[in-house]
Structures are given as structure tokens and as C-alpha cells.
Amino acid sequence: MAPPFLLKAVVEGQARKQIPDCILTTEQGPVVVDVKPHRRLSTPGVAFTFAWTPAGGRVA
């Protein structure tokens, strides 16, 4: 597991930042993992962030 890191991107013309929970290294490349309770997926901000972070995040 990697130490915390900051992802920055311009999404839909707006600067976004996210500190993922961890990053995994796989044979296909890195996978960003964000862990949130399933019930939080309906929260607009969480859903939006999962949509733009690499690999769409992961749900616990």
C-alpha cells in the first residue's frame, strides 16, 4: 500500500482534488482504491468523484 497521495484533474472544466485510500499495483497498471460505505454511493459528490478517479474507485 502506498502512502497518501493527491490526485488532481480538471473535470468538466473545474479543478478537482481527491486523496484516495490507497493505490494497488497490478499487471494491468495501477488501480486507485477509494473505500466508502455502499449507502454513500447515492451522495452526488461521492458518485461524481468515483466517476472521475482512475478505475472508478472501489466500493466496500
Side-chain angles (χ1 to χ4, degrees), residues 5-46:
F5 62 99
L6 177 64
L7 287 175
K8 293 184 190 180
V10 175
V11 182
E12 298 178 3
Q14 189 170 12
R16 302 287 180 175
K17 294 188 269 183
Q18 169 69 1
I19 299 175
D21 293 306
C22 67
I23 187 168
L24 305 175
T25 303
T26 70
E27 290 180 8
Q28 293 76 34
V31 176
V32 172
V33 180
D34 272 312
V35 180
K36 301 284 186 248
H38 195 267
R39 68 183 180 278
R40 299 257 334 262
L41 286 178
S42 60
T43 304
V46 172

Side-chain angles (χ1 to χ4, degrees), residues 44-60:
V46 172
F48 184 81
T49 299
F50 272 29
W52 74 261
T53 55
R58 295 290 182 264
V59 180

